[in-house]
Amino acid sequence: MAARGVSLVLLLALIGLSQSLSASSVLSLQDQTKLRKIFQDASPFTDLETADYAVKGLKFFKSEIPTTQDLCKFVKEKVDINDIKSIYHASSVSKTLGNCNLALNDAEKKLNEAIVEGAKASTIFYAVSSLKNLGMKVDSNAVIKAIRAAASSEEDSVMSSVHSLNTAILLPKETDVGFIVDMVEDVVAQADEIDNTYLQFEGGLVPTAEVIAASYKLGEHLKKKPSIQEEQVIKFANYLLTRKHVQSVKDTFFLLRALNILSNNDFHVPVVVQLYGTPLISADNKIFKVRVTNVMDKALGKMSVTAVSATDSEGTTVLSNKEFKAGADDYDLDFMASKPSPGVYTVTVNVKPQKEDKRLIGTSGAQLKVKVVTKVTMGKVDLSLVDKEHSHTVKSLSTNYPNKFDKTIEADFHQKIVMKFAIKSEAGQLLTPHQAFVRLTNQKTKQEIFFVPEPDSSKMYKFDLDLGATAKDSFAYRSGKYDMDIVIGDAVIQNPFEWSACLLSLTFGEQPPKAKKEKQTMYSTKPQIDHQFRVPEKRPPQTVSTAFTVLVFVPLLIMFVVWFKIGANISNFGFSLSTIVFHIGLGAIFALYYYFWIKLDMFTTLKVLAVIGGITFLAANSLLSGIAARRAKR
C-alpha cells in the first residue's frame, strides 16, 4: 500500500509538471518587421528558391513585391525543364504572383514520369506540387504507390516523412492516406528534448518547422487531429521561438509559416502569458500587467486571468488566487496591495477563456518574474569613539540622514570607531542590501580604503574599526584626515547613494622601525644553494653480473647443441640477395636494440630503426615470395 501511495504521488507530480508547461515568448510585431525586411532585402533575386520563399513571405505580410526586377521574366529565364525542383519553385512563384503564366513544354509529361516507384519522397512532392501549381491533373493512385515505395525503401528520415505528409495534403480527401497520417507519430518520436522545455529535430529549424506545418495542415485537410501531445506542441513552439533571429530567407519562411499555423489551427493553439510594460513594481508603479496572446502576439479574446501565487527567492508566498482586472489591451493586478518586501518574485498565472475554446493549450502554470523595488533611507546614525584599553566610550555623536556630522572627529590608535545605522524602505521595513560599504579616503593621497559593516539579527548595521589593529595593513601608518562615506546599493533599491558621513582626523603614531638584522639581510648576498642528487646504490660484484650474462646465453648454447645432436636442416637456405639482406637486417635490429640499452637514446634509435627496419621488411617480403613460389612449383 505504501508503495502504491508513493507511485500515486509521483504520478500526480508528473501530471502537475506537464500541465504547468507553457509557451515562453512570442514573435512580436517588432520581430515580424525584421523578418519582413529579410524578404524585402532579398531582391533582386539570383535563384528561384530564394525568390519562391521571399515572394510567399511577402504575401503573408501582405507587402508589395519589389519592383527591382521583372520577376515573371526572371522565373521563365531561370526555370530548368529537366530539374523537377526548379519547376517546383518556378511554378510556386508563378502561382503566388497570380499574373504570371508559366508555359513549359512537355512539363506535364516530365512531372508525371517523376512520380514512379523508386523515386524519392522529395521528388514526388516537388512533382505533385508543380502539377497542382500549373493546374494539371494528378494521378492519386500513382502518387500513393510511389509514396509507399519511397517509405519502404528510403531511410526513416524526418524530411522524407515531411515530404510524404506535404504530398498527402495535395491529394483529394477521399484518397486513402492512412499510412501517411501514421508517420506523424513516428516522426515526432524522433525529436530531441532539451531541458524538458524544447523539442527539436536533428537538422534544426527547417525539419522542426516543417513537421509542425505539415502535421497540422494535413490534420485540417482530413479533419483529424494530428498525433502530437499538447506538451510536445508547446515544446516545439518554445524551440521555434528561440530561432526568431534567423537571417536567411529560407529559414525565415519556414519559421514564419510554422508559427503562423501554431497561432491559428483547428486543434492546438499555445497560449502565451507575457509581461506587458515594465517588470518593476514600486510605490509609484503598483500595477503588474500581463497580456494573453498566441505565439504571433495576437490577443486571444476575453480571458479570466488569475495569479495563483507569487513567491520570493526563499519560497515565501506573498499572494494567492488574485484575479486580474481586464484592461484595454492587458490584464492588471495591484501587486503592492499584498505589501511585498523588496525582491524578485515568481508569479504563477493561470488563464481561462470566457468563451470555451478547446484549442487553447498551456493555459496554466505560466511563470513570470517581477521585481519589487523601493526607495531607501538611513534614518538615525550613531557614532562613538571607544577607548580600547579601558573599554569605555570617549565620545558619542548622532545625526539624521542625510545630515552630515558637523565636527571633525579626532581619533588615535588607542581607540575604536563604532558606527550604527539601519537601512529602511519607504514602508519602514528594515533591509539588508547586497552592497553596503564604509569608505575612508585620505584627503592628501586620495587612497580609498573600504570596510564592510555587518548587520545583526535585527538588521541593524554595525561598523567597528579598531585603529590600532588596522594601522599597518589598511592605513600603512598614514596619519591625517580621512573622508568617511557610506555606500549603499542593491538591485531592488531605486535610489542607491553615497553619503558623506563625516571627516575623521586619525593618528597612528610612528611606524615601528625594522630590526637592523632584517635591513642588513634584505639585500645581502644569499648563500648558494647546492643541489645534491641521491648517491647511486652500490653495484653487485662482477662475478654476479658475469654469471647472469652466462645464464642469458645458456638457452642459445642449448639450441646449438640440440641442432648438432638432431642435425639441423639448412638445405633450403638460399644465398640470394634478399635472403642475405634479411638476415643481416635482422641481426642489425638486435644489435641496435643492444646499443639502445647501453648508449643510444630513443629518438636516435627510432631514426636508425626506420632505415634498417624498412630494408629488412622489403627483403623479408621478397624472401617469403620466393619460398612460396618454390613450394607452388613442387
Side-chain angles (χ1 to χ4, degrees), residues 494-537:
Q494 289 178 284
N495 61 328
F497 60 86
E498 296 181 8
W499 175 54
S500 179
C502 64
L503 178 62
L504 299 177
S505 179
L506 305 181
T507 303
F508 296 105
E510 295 182 0
Q511 182 175 354
K514 294 183 179 180
K516 291 183 179 181
K517 183 177 180 181
E518 182 181 352
K519 288 184 178 180
Q520 292 173 353
T521 59
M522 183 177 296
Y523 302 106
S524 60
T525 304
K526 301 297 186 292
Q528 184 177 351
I529 300 175
D530 294 322
H531 295 282
Q532 294 184 352
F533 296 95
R534 184 165 62 92
V535 179
E537 295 181 2

mmCIF file of all heavy atoms in Angstrom, residues 494-537:
data_model
loop_
_atom_site.group_PDB
_atom_site.id
_atom_site.type_symbol
_atom_site.label_atom_id
_atom_site.label_comp_id
_atom_site.label_asym_id
_atom_site.label_seq_id
_atom_site.Cartn_x
_atom_site.Cartn_y
_atom_site.Cartn_z
ATOM 1 N N GLN A 494 15.857 51.719 -5.598
ATOM 2 C CA GLN A 494 15.695 52.696 -6.671
ATOM 3 C C GLN A 494 16.677 53.853 -6.565
ATOM 4 O O GLN A 494 17.001 54.480 -7.576
ATOM 5 C CB GLN A 494 14.265 53.250 -6.663
ATOM 6 C CG GLN A 494 13.197 52.272 -7.116
ATOM 7 C CD GLN A 494 11.820 52.892 -7.038
ATOM 8 O OE1 GLN A 494 11.249 53.026 -5.960
ATOM 9 N NE2 GLN A 494 11.284 53.276 -8.185
ATOM 10 N N ASN A 495 17.102 54.153 -5.356
ATOM 11 C CA ASN A 495 17.964 55.318 -5.144
ATOM 12 C C ASN A 495 19.272 54.947 -4.445
ATOM 13 O O ASN A 495 19.524 55.350 -3.305
ATOM 14 C CB ASN A 495 17.218 56.380 -4.327
ATOM 15 C CG ASN A 495 16.806 55.864 -2.949
ATOM 16 O OD1 ASN A 495 16.518 54.674 -2.792
ATOM 17 N ND2 ASN A 495 16.791 56.743 -1.945
ATOM 18 N N PRO A 496 20.132 54.136 -5.070
ATOM 19 C CA PRO A 496 21.427 53.855 -4.447
ATOM 20 C C PRO A 496 22.178 55.164 -4.221
ATOM 21 O O PRO A 496 22.058 56.110 -5.006
ATOM 22 C CB PRO A 496 22.125 52.961 -5.484
ATOM 23 C CG PRO A 496 21.440 53.260 -6.768
ATOM 24 C CD PRO A 496 20.033 53.580 -6.425
ATOM 25 N N PHE A 497 22.962 55.221 -3.134
ATOM 26 C CA PHE A 497 23.574 56.508 -2.806
ATOM 27 C C PHE A 497 24.932 56.334 -2.148
ATOM 28 O O PHE A 497 25.280 55.245 -1.652
ATOM 29 C CB PHE A 497 22.651 57.311 -1.873
ATOM 30 C CG PHE A 497 22.349 56.628 -0.560
ATOM 31 C CD1 PHE A 497 23.204 56.758 0.532
ATOM 32 C CD2 PHE A 497 21.201 55.863 -0.405
ATOM 33 C CE1 PHE A 497 22.926 56.143 1.738
ATOM 34 C CE2 PHE A 497 20.914 55.243 0.808
ATOM 35 C CZ PHE A 497 21.776 55.376 1.875
ATOM 36 N N GLU A 498 25.673 57.434 -2.162
ATOM 37 C CA GLU A 498 26.905 57.586 -1.394
ATOM 38 C C GLU A 498 26.683 58.766 -0.458
ATOM 39 O O GLU A 498 26.425 59.884 -0.925
ATOM 40 C CB GLU A 498 28.104 57.866 -2.305
ATOM 41 C CG GLU A 498 28.450 56.749 -3.259
ATOM 42 C CD GLU A 498 29.658 57.103 -4.106
ATOM 43 O OE1 GLU A 498 30.288 58.152 -3.817
ATOM 44 O OE2 GLU A 498 29.965 56.369 -5.054
ATOM 45 N N TRP A 499 26.799 58.521 0.816
ATOM 46 C CA TRP A 499 26.555 59.579 1.798
ATOM 47 C C TRP A 499 27.849 59.936 2.507
ATOM 48 O O TRP A 499 28.525 59.066 3.060
ATOM 49 C CB TRP A 499 25.499 59.141 2.804
ATOM 50 C CG TRP A 499 25.272 60.128 3.913
ATOM 51 C CD1 TRP A 499 24.975 61.439 3.799
ATOM 52 C CD2 TRP A 499 25.352 59.854 5.313
ATOM 53 N NE1 TRP A 499 24.841 62.031 5.036
ATOM 54 C CE2 TRP A 499 25.063 61.065 5.989
ATOM 55 C CE3 TRP A 499 25.609 58.724 6.074
ATOM 56 C CZ2 TRP A 499 25.038 61.171 7.388
ATOM 57 C CZ3 TRP A 499 25.576 58.819 7.452
ATOM 58 C CH2 TRP A 499 25.302 60.046 8.098
ATOM 59 N N SER A 500 28.205 61.200 2.434
ATOM 60 C CA SER A 500 29.396 61.670 3.139
ATOM 61 C C SER A 500 29.026 61.871 4.604
ATOM 62 O O SER A 500 28.328 62.817 4.964
ATOM 63 C CB SER A 500 29.883 62.988 2.524
ATOM 64 O OG SER A 500 31.011 63.467 3.213
ATOM 65 N N ALA A 501 29.491 60.944 5.464
ATOM 66 C CA ALA A 501 29.059 60.944 6.861
ATOM 67 C C ALA A 501 29.827 61.961 7.707
ATOM 68 O O ALA A 501 29.226 62.747 8.446
ATOM 69 C CB ALA A 501 29.218 59.547 7.451
ATOM 70 N N CYS A 502 31.162 61.968 7.594
ATOM 71 C CA CYS A 502 31.933 62.861 8.467
ATOM 72 C C CYS A 502 33.373 62.946 7.986
ATOM 73 O O CYS A 502 33.790 62.240 7.067
ATOM 74 C CB CYS A 502 31.887 62.365 9.913
ATOM 75 S SG CYS A 502 32.678 60.753 10.149
ATOM 76 N N LEU A 503 34.121 63.805 8.664
ATOM 77 C CA LEU A 503 35.556 63.949 8.414
ATOM 78 C C LEU A 503 36.290 63.435 9.635
ATOM 79 O O LEU A 503 36.023 63.862 10.759
ATOM 80 C CB LEU A 503 35.909 65.410 8.148
ATOM 81 C CG LEU A 503 37.395 65.710 7.923
ATOM 82 C CD1 LEU A 503 37.923 64.984 6.694
ATOM 83 C CD2 LEU A 503 37.622 67.221 7.804
ATOM 84 N N LEU A 504 37.219 62.482 9.419
ATOM 85 C CA LEU A 504 37.991 61.897 10.510
ATOM 86 C C LEU A 504 39.416 62.421 10.474
ATOM 87 O O LEU A 504 40.007 62.583 9.403
ATOM 88 C CB LEU A 504 38.024 60.368 10.382
ATOM 89 C CG LEU A 504 36.697 59.611 10.438
ATOM 90 C CD1 LEU A 504 36.949 58.126 10.219
ATOM 91 C CD2 LEU A 504 36.001 59.831 11.779
ATOM 92 N N SER A 505 39.953 62.684 11.658
ATOM 93 C CA SER A 505 41.365 63.030 11.799
ATOM 94 C C SER A 505 42.015 61.901 12.585
ATOM 95 O O SER A 505 41.809 61.791 13.811
ATOM 96 C CB SER A 505 41.532 64.367 12.522
ATOM 97 O OG SER A 505 42.903 64.678 12.679
ATOM 98 N N LEU A 506 42.797 61.072 11.920
ATOM 99 C CA LEU A 506 43.329 59.853 12.525
ATOM 100 C C LEU A 506 44.823 59.983 12.791
ATOM 101 O O LEU A 506 45.560 60.522 11.958
ATOM 102 C CB LEU A 506 43.073 58.656 11.608
ATOM 103 C CG LEU A 506 41.609 58.414 11.190
ATOM 104 C CD1 LEU A 506 41.513 57.179 10.304
ATOM 105 C CD2 LEU A 506 40.705 58.283 12.409
ATOM 106 N N THR A 507 45.231 59.485 13.937
ATOM 107 C CA THR A 507 46.646 59.494 14.318
ATOM 108 C C THR A 507 47.058 58.062 14.639
ATOM 109 O O THR A 507 46.479 57.424 15.533
ATOM 110 C CB THR A 507 46.875 60.382 15.553
ATOM 111 O OG1 THR A 507 46.402 61.708 15.275
ATOM 112 C CG2 THR A 507 48.352 60.429 15.905
ATOM 113 N N PHE A 508 48.071 57.575 13.936
ATOM 114 C CA PHE A 508 48.505 56.195 14.124
ATOM 115 C C PHE A 508 49.858 56.092 14.818
ATOM 116 O O PHE A 508 50.323 54.995 15.101
ATOM 117 C CB PHE A 508 48.601 55.485 12.760
ATOM 118 C CG PHE A 508 47.275 55.366 12.070
ATOM 119 C CD1 PHE A 508 46.972 56.177 10.987
ATOM 120 C CD2 PHE A 508 46.331 54.460 12.509
ATOM 121 C CE1 PHE A 508 45.760 56.071 10.350
ATOM 122 C CE2 PHE A 508 45.103 54.351 11.871
ATOM 123 C CZ PHE A 508 44.812 55.157 10.796
ATOM 124 N N GLY A 509 50.504 57.220 15.073
ATOM 125 C CA GLY A 509 51.823 57.156 15.660
ATOM 126 C C GLY A 509 52.857 56.810 14.608
ATOM 127 O O GLY A 509 52.577 56.692 13.419
ATOM 128 N N GLU A 510 54.095 56.641 15.062
ATOM 129 C CA GLU A 510 55.175 56.349 14.118
ATOM 130 C C GLU A 510 55.227 54.859 13.798
ATOM 131 O O GLU A 510 54.956 54.024 14.653
ATOM 132 C CB GLU A 510 56.524 56.804 14.694
ATOM 133 C CG GLU A 510 56.625 58.313 14.883
ATOM 134 C CD GLU A 510 57.980 58.718 15.391
ATOM 135 O OE1 GLU A 510 58.831 57.815 15.599
ATOM 136 O OE2 GLU A 510 58.208 59.925 15.589
ATOM 137 N N GLN A 511 55.634 54.600 12.584
ATOM 138 C CA GLN A 511 55.778 53.209 12.176
ATOM 139 C C GLN A 511 56.964 52.600 12.896
ATOM 140 O O GLN A 511 58.050 53.174 12.911
ATOM 141 C CB GLN A 511 55.999 53.123 10.665
ATOM 142 C CG GLN A 511 56.124 51.696 10.138
ATOM 143 C CD GLN A 511 56.226 51.675 8.630
ATOM 144 O OE1 GLN A 511 56.097 52.711 8.001
ATOM 145 N NE2 GLN A 511 56.460 50.506 8.060
ATOM 146 N N PRO A 512 56.803 51.456 13.558
ATOM 147 C CA PRO A 512 57.916 50.840 14.288
ATOM 148 C C PRO A 512 59.073 50.521 13.342
ATOM 149 O O PRO A 512 58.846 50.039 12.231
ATOM 150 C CB PRO A 512 57.307 49.567 14.879
ATOM 151 C CG PRO A 512 56.085 49.302 14.054
ATOM 152 C CD PRO A 512 55.591 50.641 13.630
ATOM 153 N N PRO A 513 60.338 50.858 13.771
ATOM 154 C CA PRO A 513 61.494 50.616 12.886
ATOM 155 C C PRO A 513 61.736 49.127 12.695
ATOM 156 O O PRO A 513 61.461 48.318 13.581
ATOM 157 C CB PRO A 513 62.655 51.264 13.640
ATOM 158 C CG PRO A 513 62.231 51.235 15.074
ATOM 159 C CD PRO A 513 60.743 51.393 15.105
ATOM 160 N N LYS A 514 62.265 48.794 11.510
ATOM 161 C CA LYS A 514 62.594 47.405 11.253
ATOM 162 C C LYS A 514 63.887 47.035 11.969
ATOM 163 O O LYS A 514 64.749 47.873 12.188
ATOM 164 C CB LYS A 514 62.766 47.178 9.745
ATOM 165 C CG LYS A 514 61.481 47.361 8.964
ATOM 166 C CD LYS A 514 61.718 47.053 7.484
ATOM 167 C CE LYS A 514 60.429 47.214 6.709
ATOM 168 N NZ LYS A 514 60.638 46.924 5.260
ATOM 169 N N ALA A 515 64.000 45.812 12.328
ATOM 170 C CA ALA A 515 65.211 45.343 13.012
ATOM 171 C C ALA A 515 66.416 45.492 12.092
ATOM 172 O O ALA A 515 66.313 45.327 10.874
ATOM 173 C CB ALA A 515 65.032 43.879 13.422
ATOM 174 N N LYS A 516 67.604 45.841 12.712
ATOM 175 C CA LYS A 516 68.806 46.037 11.910
ATOM 176 C C LYS A 516 69.177 44.776 11.134
ATOM 177 O O LYS A 516 69.597 44.835 9.984
ATOM 178 C CB LYS A 516 69.974 46.435 12.807
ATOM 179 C CG LYS A 516 69.821 47.821 13.399
ATOM 180 C CD LYS A 516 71.046 48.182 14.212
ATOM 181 C CE LYS A 516 70.917 49.601 14.799
ATOM 182 N NZ LYS A 516 72.121 49.968 15.582
ATOM 183 N N LYS A 517 69.009 43.654 11.791
ATOM 184 C CA LYS A 517 69.372 42.396 11.141
ATOM 185 C C LYS A 517 68.523 42.181 9.896
ATOM 186 O O LYS A 517 68.992 41.728 8.857
ATOM 187 C CB LYS A 517 69.195 41.244 12.117
ATOM 188 C CG LYS A 517 69.616 39.904 11.545
ATOM 189 C CD LYS A 517 69.477 38.816 12.592
ATOM 190 C CE LYS A 517 69.906 37.466 12.020
ATOM 191 N NZ LYS A 517 69.763 36.369 12.996
ATOM 192 N N GLU A 518 67.240 42.562 10.010
ATOM 193 C CA GLU A 518 66.328 42.417 8.859
ATOM 194 C C GLU A 518 66.771 43.325 7.717
ATOM 195 O O GLU A 518 66.763 42.938 6.554
ATOM 196 C CB GLU A 518 64.909 42.744 9.292
ATOM 197 C CG GLU A 518 63.881 42.566 8.189
ATOM 198 C CD GLU A 518 62.488 42.915 8.657
ATOM 199 O OE1 GLU A 518 62.299 43.155 9.872
ATOM 200 O OE2 GLU A 518 61.591 42.953 7.799
ATOM 201 N N LYS A 519 67.172 44.587 8.019
ATOM 202 C CA LYS A 519 67.626 45.509 6.986
ATOM 203 C C LYS A 519 68.903 45.013 6.330
ATOM 204 O O LYS A 519 69.091 45.129 5.131
ATOM 205 C CB LYS A 519 67.855 46.897 7.581
ATOM 206 C CG LYS A 519 66.574 47.642 7.937
ATOM 207 C CD LYS A 519 66.897 49.023 8.425
ATOM 208 C CE LYS A 519 65.624 49.816 8.742
ATOM 209 N NZ LYS A 519 65.942 51.177 9.216
ATOM 210 N N GLN A 520 69.829 44.453 7.154
ATOM 211 C CA GLN A 520 71.112 44.017 6.627
ATOM 212 C C GLN A 520 70.954 42.808 5.710
ATOM 213 O O GLN A 520 71.644 42.684 4.700
ATOM 214 C CB GLN A 520 72.063 43.681 7.780
ATOM 215 C CG GLN A 520 72.485 44.911 8.579
ATOM 216 C CD GLN A 520 73.295 44.524 9.814
ATOM 217 O OE1 GLN A 520 73.425 43.337 10.117
ATOM 218 N NE2 GLN A 520 73.805 45.523 10.519
ATOM 219 N N THR A 521 70.068 41.924 6.094
ATOM 220 C CA THR A 521 69.927 40.686 5.321
ATOM 221 C C THR A 521 68.989 40.818 4.138
ATOM 222 O O THR A 521 68.945 39.940 3.287
ATOM 223 C CB THR A 521 69.419 39.559 6.238
ATOM 224 O OG1 THR A 521 68.154 39.959 6.801
ATOM 225 C CG2 THR A 521 70.408 39.288 7.351
ATOM 226 N N MET A 522 68.225 41.912 4.059
ATOM 227 C CA MET A 522 67.235 42.035 2.997
ATOM 228 C C MET A 522 67.889 42.068 1.621
ATOM 229 O O MET A 522 67.407 41.439 0.672
ATOM 230 C CB MET A 522 66.383 43.281 3.208
ATOM 231 C CG MET A 522 65.269 43.439 2.167
ATOM 232 S SD MET A 522 64.234 44.876 2.495
ATOM 233 C CE MET A 522 63.514 44.430 4.062
ATOM 234 N N TYR A 523 68.995 42.821 1.481
ATOM 235 C CA TYR A 523 69.637 42.981 0.179
ATOM 236 C C TYR A 523 71.009 42.318 0.109
ATOM 237 O O TYR A 523 71.749 42.517 -0.849
ATOM 238 C CB TYR A 523 69.771 44.467 -0.151
ATOM 239 C CG TYR A 523 68.450 45.196 -0.155
ATOM 240 C CD1 TYR A 523 68.113 46.055 0.883
ATOM 241 C CD2 TYR A 523 67.554 45.011 -1.206
ATOM 242 C CE1 TYR A 523 66.894 46.718 0.886
ATOM 243 C CE2 TYR A 523 66.340 45.674 -1.209
ATOM 244 C CZ TYR A 523 66.004 46.533 -0.163
ATOM 245 O OH TYR A 523 64.821 47.185 -0.160
ATOM 246 N N SER A 524 71.391 41.558 1.134
ATOM 247 C CA SER A 524 72.704 40.907 1.142
ATOM 248 C C SER A 524 72.678 39.663 0.263
ATOM 249 O O SER A 524 71.619 39.134 -0.090
ATOM 250 C CB SER A 524 73.097 40.514 2.577
ATOM 251 O OG SER A 524 72.128 39.620 3.107
ATOM 252 N N THR A 525 73.882 39.229 -0.101
ATOM 253 C CA THR A 525 74.002 38.045 -0.951
ATOM 254 C C THR A 525 73.560 36.808 -0.181
ATOM 255 O O THR A 525 73.989 36.567 0.941
ATOM 256 C CB THR A 525 75.452 37.872 -1.415
ATOM 257 O OG1 THR A 525 75.865 39.067 -2.082
ATOM 258 C CG2 THR A 525 75.583 36.682 -2.360
ATOM 259 N N LYS A 526 72.684 36.059 -0.792
ATOM 260 C CA LYS A 526 72.172 34.843 -0.146
ATOM 261 C C LYS A 526 73.134 33.696 -0.391
ATOM 262 O O LYS A 526 73.862 33.663 -1.391
ATOM 263 C CB LYS A 526 70.794 34.494 -0.721
ATOM 264 C CG LYS A 526 69.747 35.588 -0.536
ATOM 265 C CD LYS A 526 69.482 35.831 0.939
ATOM 266 C CE LYS A 526 68.332 36.803 1.151
ATOM 267 N NZ LYS A 526 68.680 38.174 0.706
ATOM 268 N N PRO A 527 73.181 32.755 0.521
ATOM 269 C CA PRO A 527 74.085 31.600 0.353
ATOM 270 C C PRO A 527 73.689 30.769 -0.874
ATOM 271 O O PRO A 527 72.514 30.645 -1.202
ATOM 272 C CB PRO A 527 73.902 30.807 1.646
ATOM 273 C CG PRO A 527 72.566 31.248 2.176
ATOM 274 C CD PRO A 527 72.412 32.671 1.780
ATOM 275 N N GLN A 528 74.701 30.247 -1.525
ATOM 276 C CA GLN A 528 74.465 29.448 -2.718
ATOM 277 C C GLN A 528 73.797 28.134 -2.341
ATOM 278 O O GLN A 528 74.150 27.498 -1.343
ATOM 279 C CB GLN A 528 75.789 29.183 -3.439
ATOM 280 C CG GLN A 528 75.624 28.427 -4.745
ATOM 281 C CD GLN A 528 76.946 28.259 -5.468
ATOM 282 O OE1 GLN A 528 77.939 28.844 -5.066
ATOM 283 N NE2 GLN A 528 76.953 27.455 -6.524
ATOM 284 N N ILE A 529 72.845 27.762 -3.167
ATOM 285 C CA ILE A 529 72.125 26.512 -2.924
ATOM 286 C C ILE A 529 72.733 25.435 -3.800
ATOM 287 O O ILE A 529 72.774 25.558 -5.026
ATOM 288 C CB ILE A 529 70.628 26.665 -3.234
ATOM 289 C CG1 ILE A 529 70.012 27.749 -2.340
ATOM 290 C CG2 ILE A 529 69.892 25.340 -3.060
ATOM 291 C CD1 ILE A 529 68.556 28.054 -2.659
ATOM 292 N N ASP A 530 73.244 24.382 -3.191
ATOM 293 C CA ASP A 530 73.816 23.253 -3.921
ATOM 294 C C ASP A 530 72.800 22.116 -3.933
ATOM 295 O O ASP A 530 72.378 21.644 -2.872
ATOM 296 C CB ASP A 530 75.121 22.778 -3.255
ATOM 297 C CG ASP A 530 76.214 23.836 -3.341
ATOM 298 O OD1 ASP A 530 76.281 24.496 -4.397
ATOM 299 O OD2 ASP A 530 76.983 23.992 -2.365
ATOM 300 N N HIS A 531 72.446 21.702 -5.148
ATOM 301 C CA HIS A 531 71.506 20.590 -5.277
ATOM 302 C C HIS A 531 72.279 19.278 -5.239
ATOM 303 O O HIS A 531 73.241 19.090 -5.981
ATOM 304 C CB HIS A 531 70.735 20.701 -6.603
ATOM 305 C CG HIS A 531 69.849 21.914 -6.652
ATOM 306 N ND1 HIS A 531 68.633 21.978 -6.019
ATOM 307 C CD2 HIS A 531 70.026 23.119 -7.250
ATOM 308 C CE1 HIS A 531 68.076 23.159 -6.241
ATOM 309 N NE2 HIS A 531 68.917 23.885 -6.971
ATOM 310 N N GLN A 532 71.886 18.396 -4.368
ATOM 311 C CA GLN A 532 72.556 17.110 -4.232
ATOM 312 C C GLN A 532 71.602 15.999 -4.666
ATOM 313 O O GLN A 532 70.462 15.931 -4.184
ATOM 314 C CB GLN A 532 72.998 16.866 -2.786
ATOM 315 C CG GLN A 532 74.076 17.831 -2.321
ATOM 316 C CD GLN A 532 74.562 17.504 -0.912
ATOM 317 O OE1 GLN A 532 73.979 16.651 -0.248
ATOM 318 N NE2 GLN A 532 75.621 18.160 -0.482
ATOM 319 N N PHE A 533 72.055 15.190 -5.612
ATOM 320 C CA PHE A 533 71.250 14.063 -6.065
ATOM 321 C C PHE A 533 71.567 12.833 -5.209
ATOM 322 O O PHE A 533 72.635 12.725 -4.613
ATOM 323 C CB PHE A 533 71.522 13.766 -7.539
ATOM 324 C CG PHE A 533 71.125 14.882 -8.454
ATOM 325 C CD1 PHE A 533 72.057 15.836 -8.869
ATOM 326 C CD2 PHE A 533 69.812 15.004 -8.875
ATOM 327 C CE1 PHE A 533 71.680 16.865 -9.705
ATOM 328 C CE2 PHE A 533 69.437 16.035 -9.716
ATOM 329 C CZ PHE A 533 70.373 16.971 -10.128
ATOM 330 N N ARG A 534 70.629 11.924 -5.232
ATOM 331 C CA ARG A 534 70.799 10.720 -4.427
ATOM 332 C C ARG A 534 72.003 9.909 -4.932
ATOM 333 O O ARG A 534 72.165 9.707 -6.139
ATOM 334 C CB ARG A 534 69.536 9.862 -4.507
ATOM 335 C CG ARG A 534 69.569 8.633 -3.619
ATOM 336 C CD ARG A 534 68.166 8.063 -3.486
ATOM 337 N NE ARG A 534 67.645 7.639 -4.769
ATOM 338 C CZ ARG A 534 67.772 6.405 -5.250
ATOM 339 N NH1 ARG A 534 68.441 5.492 -4.546
ATOM 340 N NH2 ARG A 534 67.266 6.083 -6.416
ATOM 341 N N VAL A 535 72.850 9.484 -4.016
ATOM 342 C CA VAL A 535 74.037 8.703 -4.360
ATOM 343 C C VAL A 535 73.589 7.356 -4.917
ATOM 344 O O VAL A 535 72.740 6.688 -4.311
ATOM 345 C CB VAL A 535 74.936 8.493 -3.123
ATOM 346 C CG1 VAL A 535 76.166 7.640 -3.496
ATOM 347 C CG2 VAL A 535 75.372 9.831 -2.555
ATOM 348 N N PRO A 536 74.109 6.970 -6.111
ATOM 349 C CA PRO A 536 73.702 5.676 -6.688
ATOM 350 C C PRO A 536 74.007 4.519 -5.748
ATOM 351 O O PRO A 536 74.999 4.532 -5.007
ATOM 352 C CB PRO A 536 74.543 5.587 -7.973
ATOM 353 C CG PRO A 536 74.951 6.987 -8.276
ATOM 354 C CD PRO A 536 75.091 7.675 -6.948
ATOM 355 N N GLU A 537 73.115 3.542 -5.798
ATOM 356 C CA GLU A 537 73.339 2.364 -4.955
ATOM 357 C C GLU A 537 74.566 1.579 -5.447
ATOM 358 O O GLU A 537 74.898 1.615 -6.643
ATOM 359 C CB GLU A 537 72.104 1.469 -4.996
ATOM 360 C CG GLU A 537 70.861 2.117 -4.389
ATOM 361 C CD GLU A 537 69.679 1.176 -4.429
ATOM 362 O OE1 GLU A 537 69.867 0.027 -4.894
ATOM 363 O OE2 GLU A 537 68.592 1.589 -4.005
#
